[in-house]
Amino acid sequence: MTAALRRLWRSVGFRLAFYYGLLVAITMLAALAIVYMQTVGVLQQRMVRQVAASMQQLMVRYDARGADGVAGEIANALSDGRNSDNEIYLLTDREGRKLAGNLDQMPSQAPDAGDGVHRRVVRTGQTVIAYLVMRPLADGGLLVVGHDLRDQESIESLVASASAAAGIVAVLLLIGGTFVFRQELERSVGAVRRTAARIAEGELQERVEPSGEEDEFALLEHDINAMLDRIQSLMDGVRHVSNTIAHNLRTPLTRVLVRLHAVEAGLDAGDPQREAVSTAIRELEELAVVFEKLLQIAEVEAGARRQQFAPVALHVIADDVAELYEAVAELRGIALLREPADMAVALGDRDLLAGAAANLLDNALKYAGTGATVRIGTHTVDGRAQLFVQDDGPGIPQAEHERIGVRFHRLDRSVPGHGLGLASVLAVVALHGGRLDFADAKPGLRACIDLPMADG
């Protein structure tokens, strides 16, 4: 329950609705409190004055005519029709016998130095709460003057009902406000979130569709679109420079290789220059491979091959790649195992996905080490097609996981490579709307290509 409340509280719409409902409830309760204090306070003060005046008048009558005069005055007060429903009188003698008044019996507690007190009394057969002032008389009797508090209780009950109604209104505002605010926020923020999600998937041309309003969210949409335009401009510039360099250098590099091969062919086997030429050829061929990989990544990121997508059986790709690298694994003293086949079909480009799987397996064979075991397999999880490669080698430190796939980044520079293999895998996976996950296999590393399954 606590976790559910925390998730609910994280909703901006819920918090706004809660604060709004709380503000309304506080406002209504404050207004009711003012009305209550003004109404009940005035009634209380008037009642206290009336009781005090009546008590004073009766005491004067007692001083002038004794208990008989007080009894007659009480009888007149109860029969004059003015406030008779609320007035309370009681006159007793020294033995506690009732001489006059409308109380059925003596109040339950003794008088408190003449100050007003609230007591539960029986009046004409009904038990009521009353405000009483009690005075002992010179002859040993007791004079009680009071006021029925039922009218005040009615007002308090009315205020309590109104407070409960205010609470219900606040809850309704909270429920309705949560729905309304969330709808409004989703309308305003939803476009931003959807655009951000598409951009995260590699659709860098996406922009937030203007809402047509002139509020703060419209300004935010404008600023985000301006930021995205600037980011895309910078990325296009970097990509253009990289691609231009690769394109423009590939042709002269090929020409140099052709000429060096011709020079190498014209040199004798024992000529010392032949070794130098052979070394230069190997270095230039490595450079040509780098350019080729950069161009391949650029082509994938541009999405030029998306139109060629068709259902691709990942389990068949896993079989082919495992068979292709079986000899390499044997040569390096590594056990290459094909996990039990689990059919997994994704929508994509078979050649690109096969190249991505080959890159993952090639990396595992490079870094797992002699005597290691490398596994390749496929399966489906929650409607997703997955191809994984797992080894029990030294693995990769957790801190390095975020840098996996960065161009030219290599964890172990003693192993031959260019740091572009995983970058191309990431580009291929992004083109297919999937993700590349890495996890600690304890020991070793597990790399998994996760793709949407093909329909049907």
Side-chain angles (χ1 to χ4, degrees), residues 43 80 97 187 205 419 433:
L43 290 175
D80 63 5
R97 291 189 297 268
R187 184 184 66 82
Q205 76 284 355

Side-chain angles (χ1 to χ4, degrees), residues 119-130:
R119 295 284 188 270
R120 186 177 298 277
V121 298
V122 180
R123 172 176 174 265
T124 61
Q126 294 182 346
T127 301
V128 297
I129 299 295

Side-chain angles (χ1 to χ4, degrees), residues 88 103 105-109 117-123 126-132 149 153:
I88 293 177
L103 282 184
Q105 61 187 21
M106 182 74 70
S108 59
Q109 298 185 18
V117 293
H118 291 77
R119 295 284 188 270
R120 186 177 298 277
V121 298
V122 180
R123 172 176 174 265
Q126 294 182 346
T127 301
V128 297
I129 299 295
Y131 171 78
L132 304 176
L149 296 179
E153 290 179 342

Side-chain angles (χ1 to χ4, degrees), residues 84-362:
S84 300
D85 293 337
N86 296 324
E87 292 176 330
I88 293 177
Y89 295 99
L90 178 63
L91 177 64
T92 64
D93 59 15
R94 67 177 60 196
E95 284 80 19
R97 291 189 297 268
K98 177 179 177 181
L99 301 178
N102 55 358
L103 282 184
D104 296 347
Q105 61 187 21
M106 182 74 70
S108 59
Q109 298 185 18
D112 186 12
D115 294 331
V117 293
H118 291 77
R119 295 284 188 270
R120 186 177 298 277
V121 298
V122 180
R123 172 176 174 265
T124 61
Q126 294 182 346
T127 301
V128 297
I129 299 295
Y131 171 78
L132 304 176
V133 174
M134 296 177 280
R135 295 283 178 84
L137 301 177
D139 60 1
L142 179 68
L143 176 60
V144 179
V145 179
H147 195 278
D148 192 339
L149 296 179
R150 281 181 294 182
D151 290 344
Q152 183 174 335
E153 290 179 342
S154 298
I155 295 176
E156 291 177 352
S157 176
L158 180 62
V159 172
S161 299
S163 300
I168 294 174
V169 170
V171 172
L172 293 177
L173 285 174
L174 174 61
I175 297 173
T178 301
F179 177 77
V180 173
F181 286 151
R182 293 194 68 173
Q183 291 294 321
E184 182 65 20
L185 285 174
E186 179 60 27
R187 184 184 66 82
S188 302
V189 182
V192 177
R193 292 177 57 250
R194 289 189 294 271
T195 301
R198 289 195 294 269
I199 290 176
E201 293 174 356
E203 301 178 18
L204 301 181
Q205 76 284 355
E206 290 294 328
R207 295 295 180 269
V208 182
E209 184 178 354
S211 61
E213 304 290 339
E214 296 182 0
D215 54 13
E216 292 81 357
F217 289 107
L219 296 176
L220 177 63
E221 293 167 357
H222 177 270
D223 293 341
I224 289 177
N225 283 338
M227 176 189 68
L228 293 175
D229 289 338
R230 179 59 177 164
I231 291 175
Q232 185 174 20
S233 175
L234 293 174
M235 292 186 64
D236 288 344
V238 172
R239 188 179 295 112
H240 176 71
V241 170
S242 176
N243 297 344
T244 299
I245 291 174
H247 275 290
N248 291 342
L249 290 184
R250 184 170 59 172
T251 300
L253 186 62
T254 303
R255 293 173 182 167
V256 171
L257 281 172
V258 171
R259 291 173 183 173
L260 285 176
H261 279 298
V263 171
E264 183 183 31
L267 295 174
D268 296 334
D271 194 324
Q273 292 186 356
R274 185 181 180 89
E275 180 64 25
V277 173
S278 298
T279 301
I281 290 175
R282 287 195 299 272
E283 294 292 340
L284 290 177
E285 286 176 343
E286 290 288 327
L287 188 58
V289 171
V290 171
F291 287 156
E292 193 64 35
K293 286 184 175 293
L294 286 173
L295 290 174
Q296 181 187 24
I297 293 174
E299 180 186 9
V300 171
E301 289 180 339
R305 300 177 65 167
R306 191 185 295 271
Q307 296 179 353
Q308 303 175 14
F309 281 6
V312 177
L314 296 184
H315 52 282
V316 176
I317 289 179
D319 291 336
D320 294 344
V321 172
E323 183 180 355
L324 178 65
Y325 278 87
E326 186 175 354
V328 177
E330 183 178 355
L331 183 64
R332 295 179 179 176
I334 297 175
L336 177 57
L337 302 180
R338 173 70 170 95
E339 291 292 298
D342 185 0
M343 295 183 60
V345 179
L347 186 66
D349 184 298
R350 189 186 189 286
D351 293 337
L352 291 179
L353 292 176
N359 265 307
L360 291 182
L361 187 54
D362 183 64

